[in-house]
C-alpha cells in the first residue's frame, strides 16, 4: 500500500479531488491531511472521507514536531496542495523527490515568496498575459524552484477578472493533479 500525506492551508479543493481519485485505487491511500490552519475548510473535507487530520503551528513545523509525525507515517509521497508555509529543509532532505507542490502559474514566471492564490492571478491579469496554467514541481529549499514535473497551459485572453483566471486554473488543477500523482507513484513502483 502506497501512502500519501497532503499538506494544505485552505479550502482543500485539490485535497478533496486527490482523496476521491485514490479512493478508487486500492493500492494507494491518503493517510493524513496536515494543516497549519485550525479553521481551514480542508479539515471538514478530510473528515467527510475519514482521513485523519493533524493541525499544527508554524513553531511545531519549524521545531521538528511535524517531522517526527511524518517519519512515523513514512509516506511514499508528500503533496503540498495550497500549503502556504515554507517547507522545512529537514523534511525536504529526508524525502528527496518525494515532496511535490502545485503552483497556479507557469513557472518560472509568477513564482517565489508571496506569489500564491489570487495574488498570482491578479498579477497575471495586470500583465495582460494571454495564457497561464499550472506547474507541478518537486519541492526544494527555495519557493517554487524545484525541478518541474508537469505543466499545462490555458488560454485566458477572454478573462477580465482574476476570479475568472482562478476558475480556469482550478479546473486544470482538479483535472491534472491527481493524475500526475498517480503517474509518479506508478513510476516509483517501477523505478
Amino acid at each position: 500500500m502506497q501512502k500519501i500525506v497532503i499538506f494544505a492551508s485552505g479550502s482543500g479543493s485539490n485535497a478533496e479531488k486527490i482523496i476521491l481519485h485514490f479512493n478508487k485505487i486500492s493500492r494507494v491511500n491518503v493517510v493524513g491531511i496536515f494543516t497549519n490552519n485550525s479553521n481551514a475548510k480542508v479539515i471538514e473535507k478530510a473528515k467527510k472521507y475519514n482521513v485523519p487530520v493533524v493541525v499544527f503551528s508554524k513553531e511545531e513545523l519549524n521545531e521538528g514536531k511535524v517531522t517526527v509525525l511524518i517519519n512515523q507515517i513514512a509516506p511514499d509521497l508528500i503533496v503540498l496542495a495550497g500549503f502556504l508555509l515554507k517547507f522545512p529543509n529537514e523534511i525536504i532532505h529526508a524525502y528527496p523527490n518525494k515532496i511535490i507542490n502545485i503552483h497556479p502559474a507557469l513557472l518560472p514566471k509568477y513564482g517565489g515568496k508571496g506569489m500564491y492564490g489570487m495574488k498570482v492571478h491578479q498579477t497575471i491579469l495586470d500583465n495582460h498575459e494571454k495564457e497561464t496554467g499550472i506547474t507541478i514541481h518537486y519541492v526544494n529549499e527555495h519557493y517554487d524552484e524545484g525541478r518541474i514535473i508537469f505543466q499545462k497551459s490555458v488560454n485566458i485572453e477572454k478573462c477580465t477578472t482574476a476570479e475568472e483566471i482562478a476558475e480556469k486554473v482550478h479546473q486544470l488543477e482538479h483535472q491534472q493533479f491527481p493524475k500526475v500523482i498517480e503517474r509518479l507513484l506508478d513510476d516509483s513502483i517501477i523505478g
Side-chain angles (χ1 to χ4, degrees):
M1 174 71 71
Q2 290 179 300
K3 296 179 281 189
I4 299 172
V5 168
I6 299 173
F7 279 73
S9 299
S11 71
S13 65
N14 274 311
E16 183 172 33
K17 294 293 182 190
I18 294 164
I19 292 166
L20 286 169
H21 182 84
F22 288 105
N23 276 351
K24 297 179 258 176
I25 299 173
S26 60
R27 65 176 175 74
V28 180
N29 196 7
V30 176
V31 296
I33 299 282
F34 282 64
T35 184
N36 60 305
N37 178 357
S38 60
N39 297 314
K41 289 193 170 42
V42 71
I43 295 170
E44 297 163 26
K45 290 181 175 136
K47 288 180 178 172
K48 183 165 124 183
Y49 301 106
N50 298 313
V51 176
V53 175
V54 176
V55 180
F56 59 89
S57 67
K58 186 175 184 178
E59 293 73 30
E60 289 170 323
L61 181 66
N62 293 330
E63 292 167 2
K65 291 182 177 154
V66 174
T67 306
V68 170
L69 295 174
I70 292 294
N71 290 340
Q72 288 169 354
I73 295 169
D76 295 278
L77 198 63
I78 298 170
V79 176
L80 310 188
F83 184 66
L84 301 182
L85 297 180
K86 186 148 181 5
F87 218 63
N89 289 347
E90 182 180 28
I91 301 176
I92 292 168
H93 294 298
Y95 295 90
N97 294 327
K98 290 190 173 185
I99 307 170
I100 65 170
N101 183 40
I102 191 163
H103 186 75
L106 297 170
L107 293 174
K109 290 172 107 180
Y110 306 108
K113 187 173 169 78
M115 288 302 283
Y116 60 88
M118 291 306 285
K119 291 178 187 178
V120 175
H121 306 310
Q122 187 62 53
T123 305
I124 287 168
L125 182 70
D126 293 345
N127 288 338
H128 309 289
E129 295 283 0
K130 289 181 171 46
E131 68 173 15
T132 188
I134 60 168
T135 302
I136 298 168
H137 63 92
Y138 289 108
V139 173
N140 67 12
E141 295 86 356
H142 307 285
Y143 282 109
D144 302 324
E145 290 183 17
R147 185 165 52 90
I148 291 172
I149 300 163
F150 176 87
Q151 287 187 308
K152 183 124 178 129
S153 62
V154 63
N155 185 295
I156 54 166
E157 288 180 273
K158 292 188 174 143
C159 293
T160 58
T161 66
E163 289 75 15
E164 288 174 341
I165 294 171
E167 180 56 36
K168 285 191 163 211
V169 170
H170 277 135
Q171 286 174 6
L172 270 186
E173 289 176 346
H174 295 165
Q175 290 164 5
Q176 300 298 327
F177 205 12
K179 292 181 202 169
V180 172
I181 292 167
E182 184 178 355
R183 278 205 306 276
L184 285 173
L185 291 170
D186 287 346
D187 289 348
S188 73
I189 291 172
I190 298 161

